[in-house]
Amino acid sequence: MTAKLVRKCLVLLVLVLLLVVPAFSFPLKRRKSLNVIKEINHEGPYLGLVTVYPPEENAFFATGIFKPQRTVDLSGRRFLVGKIHEKKVIYVRCGVGMVNAAVATQQMLDLFDIKGIVHFGIAGNLNDSLSIGDVSIPKQIAHTGIWGWQNPKGKLDPKYVSHMDVASYNVPKGNGSNLLGRIGYRKEEFFTELGKPNAARPLVWAQISQHWLHLAHNLKKIELEGCVNSSLCLPRKPKLVVGLRGSTANIFVDNAAYRNFLVRTFQVSSADMESSAVVMTSLSNGFPVIVIRGLSDLAGGQPGENAIGIFRSLAALNAAKVVAQFIKALPHDTS
């Protein structure tokens, strides 16, 4: 065999190894993670904590209430196991948007010994009686992003919950035509273990678990942070509000007209991109769930630039403080 042929064979062997080794290492890595999860579940059950993106995670860790004792990496996410106020918890950062939120929640419920889900983070404020820095624990969450974009000359489906006439936002009104037509808002399809297989029921408002909501009402006297730093403070003391409505869609709302439409049509007080996905996934599987969101901006209601870049750390910190107090108030055997 010539030296040239030997070199070609070695190159071919290296290429084969580069292709084959990752293919074998992936299932081995996953199998190792699943074995660790089995060990973790022997110490359960746990309370599941789900937040969304780094600023919320950083604020949560900054409170010092949670010190991870074990970690599990699975499907690109890191699950952290530890305790808060002597309650066993498993924490994960799901990522932005409803798909990420639903996938991470389902993964947590399927793989770990979980007794309920606490979802927290920040949200846009739609309610003029609330302020940046306040924390909202809604009693109901709607998915306001299931649209049917209508033909301008078409008829609205009578099953729509509501609709928005885009042409009514022309400036000046009544001048010319608007080819965007109308948007119809559809109901969600809700599947549950309590119902028959493949028999979804239409749903607008997903209900937060009542016994957890009742417990949250007792936290209203909690002291929340009012200052971003020594030179930037809110004009009034932030508060915890329990029992309003929230909306979720894969849309970051920073538009006064759409903000007003959501308030007028759905009577919601906050807007985010994950909560309804976490709530519906939890309820579909028969687990209690609660949402805790700090208000970071006015969702387009401000006269100038959106304030989320300034106040998101404060809003996230206040949400994390409420999470800590809620967990502290939970009985040890709660479910």
Side-chain angles (χ1 to χ4, degrees):
M1 185 179 290
T2 65
K4 186 176 181 181
L5 184 58
V6 170
R7 285 197 296 271
K8 285 184 177 180
C9 290
L10 288 174
V11 170
L12 181 61
L13 178 61
V14 169
L15 290 173
V16 170
L17 288 173
L18 287 174
L19 291 172
V20 172
V21 171
F24 279 103
S25 64
F26 172 72
L28 287 174
K29 183 178 179 181
R30 183 175 180 84
R31 193 177 301 119
K32 181 180 178 181
S33 295
L34 293 175
N35 287 334
V36 173
I37 290 172
K38 287 181 180 179
E39 296 174 7
I40 290 170
N41 285 339
H42 286 311
E43 304 296 326
Y46 299 87
L47 189 65
L49 308 182
V50 181
T51 193
V52 181
Y53 78 140
E56 297 163 342
E57 181 174 82
N58 294 339
F60 175 55
F61 289 160
T63 64
I65 61 171
F66 176 62
K67 294 181 180 178
Q69 298 167 348
R70 300 190 71 172
T71 65
V72 183
D73 294 338
L74 193 67
S75 303
R77 291 186 177 86
R78 175 157 291 178
F79 295 82
L80 305 178
V81 185
K83 289 184 179 181
I84 297 178
H85 295 302
E86 297 306 310
K87 312 285 174 57
K88 297 175 183 179
V89 302
I90 295 179
Y91 163 87
V92 69
R93 170 161 54 91
C94 66
V96 175
M98 297 184 68
V99 172
N100 279 325
V103 168
T105 304
Q106 187 67 57
Q107 197 170 37
M108 181 175 278
L109 295 175
D110 282 343
L111 297 176
F112 294 93
D113 184 6
I114 298 295
K115 55 187 178 182
I117 297 291
V118 177
H119 175 53
F120 64 100
I122 62 175
N125 176 23
L126 309 181
N127 189 330
D128 290 334
S129 68
L130 301 179
S131 301
I132 289 175
D134 290 348
V135 176
S136 175
I137 300 181
K139 66 178 180 181
Q140 295 176 315
I141 296 282
H143 179 188
T144 55
I146 307 182
W147 292 359
W149 208 303
Q150 299 294 115
N151 185 311
K153 298 180 181 179
K155 293 182 179 180
L156 281 171
D157 189 327
K159 293 182 180 179
Y160 285 160
V161 177
S162 184
H163 74 279
M164 178 174 65
D165 285 303
V166 180
S168 66
Y169 292 89
N170 283 0
V171 178
K173 288 188 176 182
N175 186 27
S177 60
N178 191 308
L179 300 181
L180 291 176
R182 293 178 293 185
I183 298 171
Y185 287 73
R186 298 178 181 272
K187 295 179 181 179
E188 184 65 89
E189 289 189 343
F190 181 61
F191 294 84
T192 172
E193 286 191 344
L194 301 178
K196 296 180 180 180
N198 288 336
R201 64 179 176 88
L203 180 73
V204 178
W205 298 105
Q207 306 287 334
I208 300 300
S209 303
Q210 288 298 310
H211 61 303
W212 279 9
L213 200 63
H214 178 74
L215 186 65
H217 276 283
N218 298 325
L219 306 177
K220 287 186 176 181
K221 293 182 180 180
I222 185 173
E223 291 287 328
L224 299 175
E225 297 294 328
C227 295
V228 176
N229 52 48
S230 59
S231 60
L232 179 59
C233 293
L234 298 169
R236 69 168 186 78
K237 192 175 180 180
K239 62 182 181 295
L240 170 64
V241 181
V242 180
L244 299 176
R245 284 176 163 181
S247 67
T248 298
N250 281 320
I251 303 167
F252 178 79
V253 180
D254 187 23
N255 181 278
Y258 191 60
R259 177 185 192 263
N260 294 336
F261 171 81
L262 287 173
V263 174
R264 185 175 65 252
T265 307
F266 297 100
Q267 294 80 52
V268 289
S269 294
S270 61
D272 66 66
M273 300 172 65
E274 297 83 21
S275 291
S276 74
V278 175
V279 171
M280 286 193 62
T281 303
S282 301
L283 296 178
S284 179
N285 287 274
F287 289 86
V289 62
I290 194 167
V291 171
I292 300 172
R293 289 274 183 165
L295 304 180
S296 60
D297 60 276
L298 298 179
Q302 74 282 348
E305 188 176 346
N306 192 294
I308 187 172
I310 300 172
F311 293 108
R312 64 184 165 196
S313 60
L314 175 65
L317 180 59
N318 281 342
K321 292 187 72 172
V322 174
V323 169
Q325 289 304 305
F326 176 76
I327 294 174
K328 185 177 182 179
L330 282 171
H332 277 276
D333 60 348
T334 192
S335 60

